Amino acid sequence: MRITALAGGVGGARFLRGLLAAAPEAEVTVVGNVGDDMTMHGLRICPDLDTVMYTLGGGIHEGQGWGRDGETFGVAEELKAYGVGPDWFTLGDKDIATHLVRTQMLGAGYPLSAVTEALCTRWELPVRLLPSTDERVETHVVIDDADAPGGRRAVHFQEYWVRMHAPDARAIVSVGAENAKPAPGVLEAVAEADVILLPPSNPVVSIGTILQIPGLRQAVAGAAAPVVGLSPIVGGGPVRGMADKVLAAVGVEVSAAAVAQHYGAGLLDGWLVDADADADAVAEVEAAGIACRAVPLLMSSPEATRAMAQAALDLAAELAARAA
Ligand code: GDP
Ligand code: CA
């Protein structure tokens, strides 16, 4: 079975681990988000791709969900001693090695997809990890600022989230998206998949950013495979992160049913909501033309996460049988 999953960072990576446990024989391609990428100290940093790589490669800091295990911060301490900022974003020493390899390869002319493949070779990744695009696409968030002309300004997503801790947002802009194209292999992985999954990643700044790459949304919507998503919203709020703020910024209610309708019946064939908190949402989602099931949706243990992935695969199989 060929499974193609779109994924952000921590939520996506944790789900993918459950997916590999549920379908150990499957050929899994992950289309990763690049909207969080940035350059700092001259280093190109791809937080979501690295979170997937470290998680599936066995190098993740388990408690945190991102960054390397057993990390040290010698470089960060030296930078601080020099008074060199920013002080709101700390890079670990092991992580810096990843960014050095990436930056060097990009500088030598390799596209991000080739760089990502090279980095993943070291981790013997059990999936094929593709960036959604080789072009630079960076998410910026428009926030209120009384001192800015017009009372608003845009900040890079990392600054919005890590430095500012997600204040109310007015708009989300994927800078560069309209001129980007899907990375090599992405459209093929979507077209040739038996199942397409949208993990419970952020629907706006993770999956939403991937779907904004021209051609990608149409490819997913038009694919022969059933498309099944899992709600990142449980009981009216995100399980972690700032999805509530960025959903509000794009005018979407913070509920499991509203996120399904935001993706839309043209894109999604099936949707999973949490059985404890959101069983009421099933009828509303089905009325919108999307098959919906209520199952436990908290990734509280490896077994719970495996069961979530299995539920998504079961719904996909049911939809494929119905279509045949
Ligand atoms: P990020 O890039 O690190 O923010 O990670 P993702 O975009 O891949 O995932 C973030 C989303 O995962 C958030 O909107 C969370 O609500 C969601 N999430 C995290 N843990 C869980 C969980 O246990 N269950 C569900 N349903 N969603 C989760
Ligand atoms: Ca992210």
Side-chain angles (χ1 to χ4, degrees), residues 144-219:
D144 291 328
D145 181 348
D147 297 331
R152 288 183 180 183
R153 73 188 169 101
V155 295
H156 189 286
F157 174 75
Q158 292 292 350
E159 186 176 359
Y160 169 77
W161 172 229
V162 182
R163 182 168 88 83
M164 307 177 93
H165 306 294
D168 286 342
R170 302 297 170 193
I172 312 294
V173 186
S174 298
V175 179
E178 65 276 18
N179 297 317
K181 51 184 188 304
V186 169
L187 293 180
E188 293 81 354
V190 168
E192 292 163 10
D194 299 306
V195 178
I196 298 172
L197 296 178
L198 307 190
S201 285
N202 189 303
V204 181
V205 295
S206 292
I207 308 266
T209 305
I210 295 171
L211 292 172
Q212 281 204 9
I213 309 298
L216 237 156
R217 173 182 290 274
Q218 294 89 314

Side-chain angles (χ1 to χ4, degrees), residues 197-254:
L197 296 178
L198 307 190
S201 285
N202 189 303
V204 181
V205 295
S206 292
I207 308 266
T209 305
I210 295 171
L211 292 172
Q212 281 204 9
I213 309 298
L216 237 156
R217 173 182 290 274
Q218 294 89 314
V220 173
V227 180
V228 173
L230 299 93
S231 179
I233 302 297
V234 171
V239 179
R240 59 187 273 171
M242 69 345 265
D244 51 338
K245 295 291 175 65
V246 293
L247 280 167
V250 299
V252 176
E253 187 192 292
V254 186

Side-chain angles (χ1 to χ4, degrees), residues 264-287:
L267 184 85
L268 273 185
D269 300 302
W271 187 242
L272 297 180
V273 300
D274 183 67
D276 290 324
D278 299 312
D280 321 350
V282 172
E284 185 182 343
V285 175
E286 295 231 320

Side-chain angles (χ1 to χ4, degrees), residues 131-146:
S132 50
T133 179
D134 277 335
E135 269 86 36
R136 269 179 66 168
V137 174
E138 290 182 15
T139 306
H140 283 65
V141 184
V142 179
I143 54 166
D144 291 328
D145 181 348

